[in-house]
Structure formats: C-alpha cells, structure tokens
C-alpha cells in the first residue's frame, strides 16, 4: 500500500502541488510570524545586553503596581538627587550615572514632527552620560552634547527629518518646545533606532529640566570597582538606601527589560499568528474539498483495491499517507517561504514606524516544529472524512461503474449542523458576555465552531441558493448560464465546501467593516450628544506624548475662548486593578462636556476626590462621600473621596476621572493628550480658529479641529486599523480563491467526457469558458453572501458586548458590503481563468473517448 501510495502521488504531481498550496501559504504566514518574532526577540535581547554591558547594578524606586504597557507611564517613583551622594559613598562604587528618560519628539527640517507615538513607536529623550561605559549610543557623526541646548539624535530620525550635524531644530517635551542644536548622530548598537523609536540625548541637567524635574531621575546606574561582584555591590548599596528604593544587578535588570520587550513582541506575534491560523483554517476547507473530489474520481480504483484483498483500514491508511505527504510538502515549503514572509512583515512593520534592527534571521527548533505540526495536523485532519468515505466504497458497485448511493442523511446532517452552530454561538456568547479572562480564546473557538457548523449545513443551503443566484444567468446568458447553474447544482456538497472557504474570509472582512462603521457612528453620536465645545486641539497621542499644560492655559486666556481644559491620562491602581485616570479641569467641565452627572457636584473635584462611573459605583456599593483607595507610582496609596457619580463613560473613556489637582500632586510629569475649547458667546468661529491656530503653531503635533473634523479624525484611526486588518486577511481570501480554481480544475477532469460532448454538439470555446466562469461566480457570490450573513451576526454580537464601552450603535454599511459581494464575483471570474482556458482547449475526440 505504501508503494502504491507513492506511485499515485508521482502520477498526480500537479494535483499534489495544487493540494499543497493552500496549506503552504498558511504555514508560510505562521512560520514567517514566528521567525520574525524570534528575530526581533534575539535582536532586542542583544541590544539590552549591550545597554547594560558595563553596568553592575541600578538604583530605582520600588514598583508600585504591575504596568501592562512597557512603554506607558512609569509604575515606579522617581529617584531624588539626595540619593546620589549615598550611592557614591558606598565602598566599591567606581562610577554612577543618573539616567533620565521621557517624552521628546524631534521636529524635522521641514517643520514636521518625526515619529508617531500615538500609532507607532515612542519618541524618547534620554540623558547623555559623562562616562562612556554607560552609553548605549554609538556616534557615527559629530560629538556628544557639551551644553544645555545641544543634542545627539538617532540616525533614523536624522535621515527621516533631513537633519545634519550643526542644524538647529526643536524638540517637543513635557515642559514645552525646546530649541536645540544637533551636534551628533548616533546608532543604538548596530540599529539606526531601537524598534523605530526616536532618541534625543541631552546633558543630564537639561534632560531633567525638560522630561522630569531638576534633581529627579528614573534610575541610577552603577559600575563597581574591580574585584567587587554585582551581587556584592547591590547588597552594599541596598544597606545604605532609605525605604522606597531598591537595587538590582545588571543581570536582573537585563532579564526584566528583555521580558518586557518579549511580552510586547509576544502581543504582536499573537496578533499576527491569529491571521495565520485563519489562513490555515481556510486551507483546511480547501484540503477537505480537494481530497473529496480526488476520492470521488478514484472510486473504481478504491473498489479494485478492495476486490484484490485490501482491507478498509489499508485503503484508509493509504489515503491518509497521501495526506501526510501533502502535509509534509506543504509544511517544508511553507517553512522555507516563511523566511520571505518574515522579510515582508518586517517591511510592513517599518511602514507603520516599527523598525526591526538589522541582523540575521533567527530560526529556532520550536518554530520549525510548530510549523511542521500545524501543516500536518491541518492536512491530515481535513483528509480524514474523505478517506473514511473512500474506505467504505462497495467493491462490486464501483467496479460496475455505478454511482455510490449515499443514504439520505439530510435530517442527520441538519441536526448535527444545528447543534454545532448552537455550540459555536454559546462559546462566542460566553467569550463576549461572560468571561473576563481567556475571553479572546473563547471567542476564537466559538467563531471557528460556528464556521464549521455553517459548513455542515452548507449543502442544505447550497441548492436553493444556487437556484436563486443562477436564475438570472439562465435567463440572460442563455445556454452558458444554464450550464453554469446546473454544474453548480450537480454537487451541492462540493459547491458548499468550496464556498465555505471564501465564506470565512468574507465573514471576517464583513465583521471588521460592520464593527468599524458601528464604532464610527457610535463615536459620532457621543460627540454630538456630549461635546458642548467648539474646537479640539489634538496631539494624535494617548498616554505617551502630548502638550505641556501651559498650552491649555494660554489658550484659555484668549478673549475668544470661554473655557479650555486639557485632557490628561495617568495610570494608577484602584482596588488592586491597574486603570487609567482621566484628568480634567473641573471648573471648565460644564461649559465643554455633558458627562451625565447624577450625584455630587463637579466643583467638589479637588486634590482629595474622584468621580466614578455610576455602574461601577453600584457594582461596588459606593456612594458620594465614600472613599476609594488609589495607589500612585510616585506618592503611594491615597484615599480619595467620591465627589461625583457620572453616567457618560463613553465620553470620559474611563471608570474614574479626577481634577488636575490630583495630577499636580501625584504625577511629576504631565502631558495633555488633547485640549478641548468652548468659544465665547457670540465669537466668530473663523476668528476663534485663527487665534487658536496662532498659538498651536508652536507645536507641530497640534491639529486644530472643529466638531466635524474631530469626528473625521477619530474615524481615520479606525481606517488605519482597517487597512492593516484587510491586508492580513487578504491571504485567507487568496487561499479561498485558489480553492475555487482548484475545485473547478478538478471538476473539469471529472467532466472531461461531458465537456467533449458539449463541444461536439456545437458549443464554442468561448461558450465553454463563459460557463466555467459563471459557475465560479455563482460559487463565489454564494460564499460571499453566506459570509456576510455570519459577518453581520458577529458584528451585532460585538457591538452588543461593547455597549458599555461606548460602541452602542449597530450599523450595517450596505454600500460597503455590496462592494464586497461585487469584488467576490470579480474574484470568482479571475479564479476561473485558468480552469476555463483548460476546459476550452479539451480535445473533442479524446474527451469523448474518456471513461
């Protein structure tokens, strides 16, 4: 049986290759994602090791809470200047470096800001060490800073911004814009920049002034004298420090920062791997359909084997062995192609501002094993059912060339399909509405099960759907349209299986489109309903970057402005959970926002109070006057009194809001992500805008928007994400279309004699090509419509689940969905080009003679 299996595979090389391509692409995407993650991890592991290669230990504030965002607000208190003397006096300390880092965005020679901390990598400012052993930057041009207004910038930013040594430019910081001279250009190790982040290095005193506060540092790095171990210097320093500080060795620091970066890379890898798994899932439908057709075409061969003594187990094993070979071929080629995919993904990340350091590709054994196992499992699992069906072929019936009569299983198929759909729906609902942890896993599993259930029910839907979709063709395209419809009707299971692959891709595209449209509409409603102001000065960032608070003050002093408040965001721990606090000026709230206050007085929001979302307060049993324990990184735990209960969480964007006084007391570094303005009564909007833009021009990141433009800007952020998702889903769509082409090609082999007879009775080659193309269109449109139905359901479920998060309006973008169906039909035409040409070129006499 093994020799026979290998002989069959050699005799059908093209079929094997066609069967392998679907899995090959999915494995390539999966392997490419994992290779890129491994490469990024190895590159940054090396960069972090280089950063602390000469450091023995570091002094820093104790961690107040776990920060889920490695590039977010610090979760440790800053270190005071007084600690420097204590560290320097410790026996065995040779050199120290007070390290400072924070927001600093470089302005290019054209006046545009470099980098996008809102959608891409952060823009860091750091202190330049006097002792070169602490410096991770390697100068490639110029020198280090020697006075306060001099800076060294990374090479990637210099190239992007057209800046050279000697140029005068600005940097945007938490203390406002600062003018500096570029005196040096440097690399971070061997990379032009670390993960696309921009770097501005300043003298320590100037860095403190702009990014923290004079005499405040993020950490103090230490080099021990010869003969003193890292552990020994750590213990000596720890004994000399006051409470609230900790000392870690370089190895501990390296392991921690590598872990933070690995976690960030892991998030990216998981995100990308999701689309690879979708592609493999789609590929499994193609493999199933391909094997089903191949088995059906080899009924006589299977029966002959059975008649010669082969057992059902041997027939089953032979076909599964073919699946193993196909899976191996697909997996091996996919792993090789994965290196190219990794290169493409690296370029895609670079386009989004996340540049991976240069270096060799890293391929680990785990990646190879995972890709190999995934390809094999998907291929063999998809081939099990067709192989079992082949092993049950009645020998005598098949040898007599009689079609195998399957028992009527419509009822059982319906029951199984309905049960699977219900199971998928329950899993999906559990993930969306019940679970807090592992919710994404439940949602993904529920979606996959739901797709399988619909695929099981597909043949029951296929016949009426094909009749409906093919009716216009039969009427307007005549014979070719009728033949196309009859061919699609001939095997409802095959049509449904082929359409199911496309269904998955279209369902996901439809879901994303519906969700984005609903999110846009919901956001528009929130702004229309709750924003009483007239203008927004937007920085395009959230959490990292923004405007110094002085800009909001200067805007508020304009005679054309009635009220102005900056919106600040800070992390804190409330009742054991890390949350974002929104900070606003309580005296300006009523003039600009309607936050739905139901209890308390917004004027009571001082440095000792907090506003809480009503639902959260009811859940916890809180009332106005109760206290909430809040832990801040800088100042520790504080009890804040609940002064206000509000209902409009969609506008606030958080469960908790505080006044600026809380930020002034507990956050040493503050930035307004946006500034909201209400014009004075009777002021001319155009004059107000001119005055606001005149002040905002000092900040290249600032964009002045009216209400309509503000809504459009929020929609643009969804469009950027949509573009990325569509690109990643393209592979699944491509695999599905290849499945249509593969199915048509195999069905043409099956119908060779029939096609020859049609040509013999007068059908032209053009008519033959047309009938195959229209058959493909019917399958593609059927799959697209089925996918859109599921996509609408997914969209409705997601919008319903996120009602409390502000996505409360369900919108079906009919025009966009109609475009998807039209594109699917056109893609069906493209998928049918080669099969149609092959059908048209069939030799009539040879075809008629075919059995």
């Amino acid at each position: 049986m093994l020799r026979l299996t290998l002989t069959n595979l050699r005799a059908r090389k093209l079929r094997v290759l066609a069967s392998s391509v679907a899995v090959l692409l999915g494995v390539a995407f999966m392997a490419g994602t994992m290779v890129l993650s491994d490469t990024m991890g190895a590159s940054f592991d090396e960069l972090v090791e280089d950063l602390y290669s000469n450091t023995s230990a570091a002094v820093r504030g104790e961690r107040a809470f776990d920060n889920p965002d490695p590039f977010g607000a610090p979760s440790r208190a800053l270190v005071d200047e007084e600690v420097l003397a204590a560290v320097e006096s410790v026996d065995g300390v040779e050199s120290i470096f007070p390290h400072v880092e924070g927001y600093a965005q470089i302005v290019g020679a054209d006046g545009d800001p470099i980098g996008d901390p809102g959608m891409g990598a952060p823009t860091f400012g750091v202190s330049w060490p006097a002792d070169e052993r602490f410096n991770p930057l390697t100068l490639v041009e110029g020198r280090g800073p020697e006075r306060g207004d001099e800076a060294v910038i990374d090479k990637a930013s210099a190239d992007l911004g057209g800046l050279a040594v000697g140029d005068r430019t600005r940097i945007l910081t938490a203390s406002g814009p600062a003018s500096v001279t570029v005196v040096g250009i440097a690399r971070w190790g061997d990379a032009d920049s670390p993960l696309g982040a921009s770097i501005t290095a300043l003298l320590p005193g100037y860095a403190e002034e702009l990014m923290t506060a004079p005499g405040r540092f993020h950490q103090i790095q230490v080099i021990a004298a010869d003969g003193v171990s890292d552990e020994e210097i750590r213990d000596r320093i720890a004994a000399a420090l006051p409470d609230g500080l900790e000392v870690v060795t370089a190895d501990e620091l390296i392991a921690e920062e590598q872990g933070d970066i690995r976690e960030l890379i892991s998030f990216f890898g998981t995100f990308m791997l999701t689309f690879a798994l979708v592609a493999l899932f789609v590929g499994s439908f193609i493999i199933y359909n391909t094997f089903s057709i191949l088995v059906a075409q080899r009924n006589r061969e299977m029966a002959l084997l059975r008649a010669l003594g082969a057992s059902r187990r041997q027939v089953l094993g032979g076909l599964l062995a073919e699946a193993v070979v196909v899976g191996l071929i697909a997996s091996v080629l996919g792993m090789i192609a994965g290196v190219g995919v990794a290169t493409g993904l690296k370029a895609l990340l670079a386009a989004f501002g996340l540049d991976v350091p240069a270096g060799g590709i890293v391929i680990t054994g785990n990646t190879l094993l995972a890709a190999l196992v995934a390809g094999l499992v998907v291929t063999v699992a998809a081939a099990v059912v067709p192989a079992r069906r082949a092993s049950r072929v009645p020998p005598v019936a098949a040898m007599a060339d009689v079609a195998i009569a399957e028992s009527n299983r419509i009822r059982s198929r319906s029951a199984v399909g309905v049960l699977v759909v219900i199971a998928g729906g329950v899993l999906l609902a559990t993930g969306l509405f019940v679970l807090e942890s592992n919710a994404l896993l439940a949602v993904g599993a529920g979606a996959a099960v739901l797709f399988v259930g619909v695929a099981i029910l597909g043949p029951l839907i296929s016949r009426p759907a094909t009749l409906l979709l093919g009716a216009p063709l039969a009427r307007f395209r005549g014979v070719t349209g009728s033949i196309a419809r009859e061919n699609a009707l001939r095997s409802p299971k095959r049509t449904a299986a082929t359409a199911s692959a496309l269904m998955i891709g279209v369902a996901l595209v439809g879901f994303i489109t519906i969700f984005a449209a609903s999110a846009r509409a919901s956001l528009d409603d929130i702004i229309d309903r709750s924003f009483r102001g007239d203008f927004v000065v937007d920085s395009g960032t959230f959490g990292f970057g923004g405007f110094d608070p002085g800009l909001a003050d200067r805007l508020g002093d304009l005679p054309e402005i009635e009220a102005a408040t900056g919106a600040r965001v800070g992390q804190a721990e409330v009742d054991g959970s890390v949350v974002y606090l929104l900070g606003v000026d309580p005296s300006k709230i009523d003039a600009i926002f309607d936050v739905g206050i139901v209890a308390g007085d917004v004027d009571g929001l001082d440095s000792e109070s907090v506003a809480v979302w009503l639902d959260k307060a009811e859940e916890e049993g809180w009332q106005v006057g109760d206290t909430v324990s809040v832990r801040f990184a800088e100042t520790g735990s504080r009890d804040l009194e609940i002064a206000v209960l509000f209902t409009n969480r969609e506008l606030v964007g958080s469960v908790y809001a505080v006044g600026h006084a809380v930020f002034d007391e507990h956050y040493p570094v503050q930035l307004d992500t946006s500034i909201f303005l209400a014009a004075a009564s009777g002021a001319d909007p155009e004059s107000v805008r001119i005055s606001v833009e005149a002040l905002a021009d000092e900040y290249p990141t600032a964009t002045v928007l009216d209400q309509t433009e503000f809504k459009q800007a929020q929609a643009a952020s969804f469009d950027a994400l949509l573009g990325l998702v569509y690109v990643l889903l393209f592979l699944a769509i491509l695999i599905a279309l290849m499945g249509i082409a593969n199915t048509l090609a195999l069905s043409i082999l099956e119908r060779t004699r029939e096609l020859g007879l049609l040509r013999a009775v007068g059908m032209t080659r053009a008519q033959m090509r047309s009938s195959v193309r229209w058959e493909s269109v019917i399958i593609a449109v059927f799959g697209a419509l089925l996918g859109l139905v599921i996509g609408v359901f997914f969209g409705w479920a997601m919008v319903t689940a996120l009602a409390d998060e502000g996505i409360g309006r369900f919108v079906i973008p009919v025009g966009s969905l109609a475009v998807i169906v039209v594109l699917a039909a056109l893609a069906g035409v493209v998928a049918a080009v080669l099969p149609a040409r092959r059908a048209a070129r069939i030799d009539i006499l040879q075809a008629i003679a075919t059995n």
Side-chain angles (χ1 to χ4, degrees):
M1 288 300 298
L2 179 59
R3 286 196 299 270
L4 179 63
T5 298
L6 296 176
T7 301
N8 276 326
L9 289 171
R10 285 195 298 268
R12 298 178 174 89
K13 296 183 184 69
L14 291 178
R15 297 188 191 183
V16 172
L17 180 61
S19 304
S20 303
V21 170
V23 175
L24 184 155
L25 292 175
V27 170
F29 198 179
M30 177 181 177
T33 297
M34 298 177 72
V35 166
L36 182 60
S37 297
D38 292 338
T39 302
M40 292 170 64
S43 298
F44 286 104
D45 282 351
E46 183 177 346
L47 287 179
V48 173
E49 289 172 2
D50 290 344
L51 174 60
Y52 297 112
S53 60
N54 296 315
T55 299
S56 301
V59 179
R60 60 188 184 180
E62 292 180 343
R63 187 187 292 272
F65 47 79
D66 290 328
N67 187 349
D69 180 5
F71 291 136
S75 57
R76 302 176 186 274
L78 297 175
V79 180
D80 291 325
E81 189 175 25
E82 290 79 8
V83 179
L84 286 176
V87 174
E88 279 185 305
S89 65
V90 172
D91 183 34
V93 171
E94 179 181 321
S95 181
I96 65 172
F97 167 50
H99 175 72
V100 174
E101 66 179 43
Y103 167 66
Q105 190 164 5
I106 306 166
V107 179
D110 58 0
D112 293 332
I114 298 172
D116 182 7
M119 294 294 291
T123 54
F124 280 122
V126 298
S127 49
W128 181 270
D131 188 335
E132 282 298 317
R133 290 177 292 177
F134 290 110
N135 200 344
L137 296 171
T138 303
L139 283 169
V140 294
E141 188 178 349
R143 59 172 174 83
E146 296 175 354
R147 63 183 191 184
D149 65 344
E150 294 181 341
V152 173
I153 65 174
D154 64 283
K155 187 177 185 303
S157 296
D159 293 342
L160 187 63
L163 295 172
V165 170
D167 287 349
R168 194 76 178 169
T169 190
R170 286 177 293 163
I171 54 172
L172 309 177
T173 72
S175 298
S179 180
V180 297
T181 299
V182 177
V183 296
I185 296 174
R187 285 191 173 98
W188 184 283
D190 294 328
D192 287 350
S193 74
L195 194 59
S198 70
I199 302 292
T200 304
L202 308 164
L203 286 179
Y206 196 44
E208 296 161 28
E209 179 184 333
L210 295 181
M211 292 178 283
T212 57
R216 306 297 303 280
F217 323 113
H218 286 87
Q219 66 181 13
I220 302 171
Q221 293 172 229
V222 177
I223 295 178
D226 291 341
V228 181
S229 69
D230 292 357
E231 290 74 16
E232 188 175 358
I233 200 66
R234 175 196 62 192
D235 296 340
R236 291 181 187 179
I237 295 173
L241 293 180
D243 293 339
L245 297 174
E246 68 177 16
V247 190
V248 293
T249 65
D251 288 343
E252 292 169 336
L253 195 58
I254 289 170
E256 180 183 301
E257 294 199 9
Q258 286 177 343
D260 288 342
I261 294 175
R262 286 278 184 179
E263 185 175 346
L264 185 66
I265 293 173
S266 174
F267 173 79
F268 154 77
T270 301
F271 175 76
M272 300 294 289
L273 196 58
T274 299
F275 293 93
L277 293 176
V278 169
L280 280 171
F281 187 54
V282 172
S284 69
F285 281 82
I286 305 304
I287 290 293
Y288 169 83
N289 202 31
T290 301
F291 268 84
S292 294
I293 296 172
L294 292 177
V295 165
Q297 292 175 352
R298 293 162 59 189
N299 277 340
R300 173 172 283 191
E301 175 188 327
M302 298 297 109
L304 181 59
L305 288 174
R306 292 291 311 284
L308 293 175
S311 66
R312 287 185 174 181
R313 179 175 297 180
Q314 287 178 309
V315 172
L316 175 63
L319 289 171
L320 290 182
E322 290 187 25
V324 169
V325 173
V326 170
L328 281 172
I329 293 173
S331 300
V332 172
L333 294 178
M335 287 187 290
I336 296 172
V339 177
V341 171
T343 304
L345 292 175
K346 180 178 179 295
L348 180 63
L349 284 180
F352 279 83
L354 300 174
D355 194 18
V356 180
I361 293 292
V362 176
I363 303 175
T364 66
N366 288 337
T367 294
L368 295 177
L369 181 61
L372 181 65
V373 170
L376 277 175
V377 168
V378 167
T379 306
V380 174
V384 166
V385 172
R388 289 186 62 192
R389 189 182 303 130
S391 69
R392 296 173 180 173
V393 172
V396 176
M399 290 177 69
D401 205 20
V402 179
I404 305 168
E406 293 189 5
S407 59
N408 190 339
R409 298 181 178 178
I410 294 179
R411 291 184 180 179
S412 61
R413 174 180 284 271
S414 300
V416 171
V418 169
L419 288 175
V420 174
V421 167
I422 291 174
V426 170
L427 270 173
L428 190 69
T430 302
L432 289 173
F433 304 105
V434 179
L435 294 179
E436 294 185 2
S437 61
N438 297 321
L440 186 60
L441 182 62
V443 169
V449 172
L450 195 60
F451 280 129
V452 172
V454 174
I456 293 173
L457 293 174
L460 307 178
I461 308 170
S462 173
R463 185 171 183 81
T466 302
L467 284 170
L468 181 63
L469 294 173
L473 294 179
R475 179 173 181 181
F476 297 107
R477 299 298 301 176
V479 174
T480 57
S482 298
I483 291 175
R485 182 178 65 170
E486 293 304 318
N487 285 337
L489 283 170
R490 177 177 302 178
S491 179
K493 290 176 65 176
R494 179 185 303 173
T495 298
T498 307
S500 293
L502 185 60
M503 167 194 73
I504 299 170
V506 171
L508 295 175
V509 170
F511 157 68
I512 296 297
T513 303
I514 291 168
F515 177 73
S518 299
R520 290 193 201 100
S522 300
L523 187 57
D524 287 351
D525 286 349
I526 292 168
I527 294 172
D528 290 338
R529 184 176 69 250
S530 307
F531 182 41
R532 296 169 175 165
D534 299 285
F535 293 97
V536 179
V537 183
D538 186 28
S539 69
T541 65
F542 180 85
F544 190 92
F547 310 119
D548 63 279
L551 178 58
D553 294 336
R554 293 193 295 275
L555 289 169
D557 291 338
L558 291 173
E560 301 94 336
I561 298 298
E562 176 187 348
T565 179
R568 303 173 192 173
V569 178
Q571 284 184 319
E573 186 179 77
V574 180
D575 282 349
S577 299
V578 178
V579 300
Y580 283 99
L581 300 181
L582 174 69
V584 291
D585 185 344
S587 65
K588 310 293 176 58
I589 287 294
D590 282 341
I592 301 176
F593 302 116
D594 177 10
V595 297
I597 297 173
V598 294
D601 185 357
V602 73
D603 290 333
L605 276 178
D606 55 21
S607 62
E608 304 294 331
S609 58
V610 63
V612 181
W613 182 41
L614 178 63
D615 287 10
K616 178 65 176 178
E618 291 177 345
E619 178 185 329
E620 301 291 344
W622 295 336
Q623 297 179 349
V624 171
D626 291 346
T627 58
V628 177
S629 178
V630 181
R631 178 181 292 275
F632 298 95
E634 182 69 22
T635 56
S637 294
R638 295 289 188 275
D639 287 336
L640 300 185
E641 181 180 331
I642 298 176
V644 174
L645 297 180
F646 63 88
T647 58
N648 197 345
R649 181 191 177 189
E650 296 89 347
L651 178 69
V652 174
S654 174
V655 174
Y656 305 96
V658 296
H660 283 166
V662 170
F663 272 74
D664 293 337
E665 183 171 335
H666 301 288
Y667 293 92
V669 180
Q670 300 175 46
L671 287 162
D672 292 333
T673 58
S674 297
I675 301 172
F676 297 89
L677 308 170
S681 178
D684 176 54
E686 192 59 34
S687 298
V688 174
R689 184 175 196 131
I690 292 173
S691 298
V692 171
E693 288 178 341
L695 281 178
D697 277 348
E698 189 179 357
Y699 299 79
T701 56
T703 305
V704 179
L705 309 168
D706 59 24
Q707 282 202 25
T708 300
E709 293 167 336
F710 182 52
K711 288 188 287 188
Q712 292 172 347
Q714 302 307 303
S717 63
F718 288 107
D719 293 338
L721 180 61
L722 273 179
L724 175 61
V725 172
Y726 286 155
V727 168
L728 296 175
L729 283 175
F730 173 75
L731 180 60
I733 302 289
L734 177 63
I735 292 174
L737 294 175
M738 291 177 61
I740 293 177
N742 194 32
T743 298
L744 290 173
L746 292 173
S747 67
I748 286 169
L749 289 176
E750 187 179 72
R751 306 198 306 256
T752 299
R753 179 169 182 157
E754 171 192 327
L755 298 177
L757 289 172
L758 288 173
R759 290 294 315 284
V761 297
M763 191 177 215
T764 66
R765 288 186 174 183
Q767 288 176 318
M768 181 68 71
R769 288 194 296 267
S770 179
S771 67
V772 174
R773 285 196 297 265
W774 283 118
E775 180 184 356
S776 178
V777 168
I778 291 173
I779 295 172
V781 172
F782 172 49
L785 292 176
L786 198 58
L788 287 184
V789 171
I790 299 175
V792 169
F793 170 71
F794 283 175
W796 168 82
M798 183 63 76
V799 169
T800 303
L802 294 177
D804 289 339
E805 305 295 331
I807 313 297
R809 183 177 170 188
F810 178 59
V811 175
I812 300 178
V814 177
S816 298
L817 299 184
V819 169
I820 291 174
V821 175
V822 172
L823 290 177
L826 293 176
V829 173
V830 174
V833 168
L834 292 179
R837 289 180 62 187
R838 184 171 184 176
R841 292 178 178 179
I842 288 176
D843 184 275
I844 298 175
L845 295 179
Q846 289 183 0
I848 294 174
T850 300
N851 290 325

